[in-house]
Amino acid sequence: MSTTTDTFSTSRFASGTGGSGISGAFSKLSSFGSAGLGRSSASVGSSLAASVLFGGAAEEKIVLDIGSFSLRAGFSGDSAPLHTAELFGKYEPVKPTHRLAGSNHGIYDFPIVDQDLLDALVLEQVKEVYRSHLLLDSKSRKVVVAEGALMPMQLKRALARVLLGNLRVPQITFYPSAVVALMSCGITSGLVVDCGHKQTTVVPVYDGRPLVPYMTSTPLAGEALFESLKSLIKKYGQFVPFDDSVRSAKVTDDILSDEVCRHIQTKVLYVSPLSIPGALSKQPIELSVNEVDPQLVEWFEQSVTGSPTITLTITTKTHGRGTLKFPGWVRERAAEVLLAGDSTEDHKGIVQSIVTCISNLPVDVRRPLASKILMVGGVSDVPHFRIRLLHDLVAKMRSISKWATLADSVALAEDKQQVRESDMVVGSSANGLTFKSSDRCWIGASLAAAAKIGGVELKRDDFDGYSVADWTIGN
């Protein structure tokens, strides 16, 4: 393998012109897959592997992926982030936030227009990552950031001020998260569906360039799933205390805490493989985050694929220890609102958002992108979510005469992409299923940094405290 690396300039990256550099780098990355990129025992392993792959002493960088509710951090060349945590989950109060210790908040739950507040929040979180997990001097490593297409510029400026000003890192490189996410599959084109906490975005990427004007989004994401699950358990569940002298109680906020509901969402929830029948879904039924039509409830009860009742032992402040019981269909159908949409708020579901994005694309790129749909984000890790989304998407497109032929080409990027046998090495994966969907943006940024692919760079000496490049302009 040649030791030279393909790069492309910042101006070309920002404007969306050119692309031979990133294509060349992608071809090299697809040849070695994920072999040799794991940090199993120490950082020396990944550094040595990177040196062998790219020649010479590879420069190790810090890789950050900051979402609306979580942060992932680690070192370039690794196959998984070293640290993953909820933003501002377990920290002491700091000025000027005056937050309660242990309170859970995403970054967007605070007034993002308050520069001092935003800087303090970001500094608190990033310093903790360096101090407790990365265990190194911030001035010793450059930083790579996987940036979502809808990341507010205020947050991007705050991150630059904290890293370059407070922590004195030498340089920040921004990568579009949709572009680098595709790198985990070794491809340059695809439709990236990022289902995070606050919103779901559908970003088309062609030849390594994000086609931002054709991007679609919906507020139905992880937060809506959490609220849907909680409202269903409160309405259809019950709590039975272990104390025989106390009768069963209706589920309230005192019983179903956010911590318990989050546990159910991450450990118990899965998506039913059975779609809502077309005859039923065409009727004027109501499906929203806080309400489900009785007709749907009746069908949900009849179509349970698992246990008819879910029981969990929990501890409450008001009733002590006891058993939380709720119908099995709640476990399977809480995510239906994400797929079908919120009829009360008139929010499009993820399936409709994907169809809208495909219909807006130029004719010549619809089929190539529709055949490589990549799911990323925390909600994508819910069991059966990806397969069910694909099934509903194909059914939706076949129901529209003009998209019926295109529906046969729709496929997931992880299942579609195959590594050529001659390019496979020991430990590589032929379909990319090695990686968690929620980690793909971080992994892609890690690969990009290890391969020395150029991005939008910002050096400490050139930063004026405000000006940061916006790669979404001009694409």
Side-chain angles (χ1 to χ4, degrees):
M1 181 181 294
S2 174
T3 57
T4 59
T5 49
D6 298 301
T7 59
F8 59 103
S9 65
T10 300
S11 60
R12 287 166 61 191
F13 189 90
S15 64
T17 59
S20 59
I22 193 170
S23 299
F26 269 118
S27 65
K28 292 183 179 182
L29 287 169
S30 62
S31 67
F32 65 77
S34 58
L37 294 179
R39 183 182 297 265
S40 58
S41 59
S43 61
V44 178
S46 63
S47 299
L48 179 59
S51 296
V52 173
L53 289 169
F54 305 111
E59 181 185 9
E60 197 173 48
K61 299 180 180 180
I62 303 302
V63 182
L64 300 177
D65 178 16
I66 300 179
S68 59
F69 195 72
S70 62
L71 177 145
R72 291 170 175 80
F75 297 92
S76 60
D78 284 6
S79 59
L82 179 68
H83 172 64
T84 301
E86 294 180 359
L87 286 175
F88 317 117
K90 298 178 181 178
Y91 295 96
E92 298 295 330
V94 295
K95 293 181 179 180
T97 62
H98 299 293
R99 293 183 292 103
L100 297 176
S103 60
N104 292 321
H105 293 288
I107 186 66
Y108 299 153
D109 291 338
F110 299 97
I112 203 167
V113 294
D114 189 332
Q115 176 176 314
D116 293 336
L117 172 61
L118 191 59
D119 287 0
L121 291 170
V122 174
L123 177 61
E124 174 196 4
Q125 182 69 86
V126 177
K127 280 184 64 177
E128 177 65 19
V129 170
Y130 272 96
R131 179 171 57 245
S132 301
H133 303 282
L134 300 179
L135 305 177
L136 51 77
D137 183 4
S138 59
K139 296 188 291 291
S140 64
R141 294 287 191 278
K142 296 179 180 179
V143 174
V144 168
V145 178
E147 176 194 358
L150 296 183
M151 174 184 281
M153 289 301 294
Q154 297 93 324
L155 176 58
K156 188 174 181 179
R157 294 188 185 104
L159 187 61
R161 284 193 295 267
V162 166
L163 290 173
L164 298 175
N166 298 87
L167 301 182
R168 308 295 292 171
V169 303
Q171 176 182 297
I172 305 176
T173 302
F174 291 97
Y175 290 124
S177 59
V179 175
V180 295
L182 292 171
M183 295 183 67
S184 62
C185 291
I187 56 179
T188 62
S189 301
L191 207 61
V192 180
V193 183
D194 187 349
C195 192
H197 179 67
K198 284 288 186 181
Q199 59 196 355
T200 298
T201 58
V202 183
V203 183
V205 178
Y206 188 76
D207 195 24
R209 297 186 293 269
L211 307 180
V212 178
Y214 306 108
M215 177 183 66
T216 59
S217 66
T218 174
L220 297 178
E223 187 177 47
L225 175 60
F226 179 83
E227 294 297 333
S228 175
L229 177 64
K230 192 168 187 176
S231 64
L232 289 175
I233 294 177
K234 288 169 64 177
K235 184 172 183 177
Y236 296 99
Q238 64 174 342
F239 177 74
V240 182
F242 288 159
D243 187 355
D244 295 336
S245 62
V246 182
R247 305 174 66 179
S248 61
K250 184 178 180 181
V251 180
T252 61
D253 289 331
D254 294 335
I255 295 175
L256 185 62
S257 63
D258 287 353
E259 183 179 359
V260 172
C261 192
R262 190 74 62 188
H263 171 79
I264 296 173
Q265 179 180 348
T266 56
K267 302 297 184 181
V268 180
L269 198 68
Y270 75 91
V271 179
S272 174
L274 302 177
S275 301
I276 300 175
L280 184 61
S281 61
K282 291 179 181 179
Q283 298 177 14
I285 58 177
E286 183 175 300
L287 177 62
S288 67
V289 172
N290 298 310
E291 189 65 37
V292 179
D293 193 280
Q295 296 180 67
L296 273 179
V297 173
E298 182 179 356
W299 186 83
F300 289 160
E301 292 174 342
Q302 297 173 358
S303 62
V304 174
T305 61
S307 174
T309 304
I310 305 299
T311 59
L312 296 173
T313 299
I314 62 174
T315 301
T316 66
K317 296 180 180 180
T318 55
H319 301 284
R321 288 177 61 81
T323 301
L324 175 65
K325 297 182 179 181
F326 56 90
W329 67 263
V330 171
R331 173 194 187 190
E332 301 180 12
R333 299 293 177 173
E336 292 293 331
V337 66
L338 303 188
L339 298 169
D342 190 323
S343 59
T344 302
E345 299 294 334
D346 198 22
H347 291 153
K348 292 188 299 184
I350 300 177
V351 173
Q352 182 59 48
S353 296
I354 296 175
V355 173
T356 302
C357 179
I358 293 175
S359 64
N360 292 338
L361 288 171
V363 176
D364 57 334
V365 300
R366 288 174 183 168
R367 191 176 299 275
L369 300 191
S371 64
K372 298 174 183 177
I373 298 176
L374 180 64
M375 296 291 300
V376 300
V379 177
S380 304
D381 287 333
V382 177
H384 300 168
F385 185 82
R386 294 165 48 256
I387 302 302
R388 172 63 190 286
L389 176 69
L390 179 64
H391 183 275
D392 285 7
L393 177 60
V394 172
K396 177 72 173 180
M397 296 186 69
R398 283 178 177 169
S399 66
I400 306 174
S401 58
K402 63 182 298 185
W403 303 121
T405 304
L406 184 59
D408 296 332
S409 301
V410 173
L412 296 176
E414 309 98 302
D415 302 332
K416 187 80 172 179
Q417 181 66 16
Q418 298 291 330
V419 178
R420 296 190 306 272
E421 184 177 355
S422 60
D423 291 336
M424 291 182 64
V425 294
V426 177
S428 66
S429 173
N431 56 12
L433 297 178
T434 302
F435 306 129
K436 292 174 57 179
S437 296
S438 55
D439 289 342
R440 283 191 178 272
C441 293
W442 187 95
I443 292 168
S446 173
L447 289 171
K452 302 178 183 178
I453 296 176
V456 181
E457 297 179 351
L458 184 60
K459 296 182 179 179
R460 181 175 61 202
D461 296 338
D462 298 334
F463 183 54
D464 60 3
Y466 182 82
S467 300
V468 291
D470 185 1
W471 55 266
T472 63
I473 298 177
N475 281 298

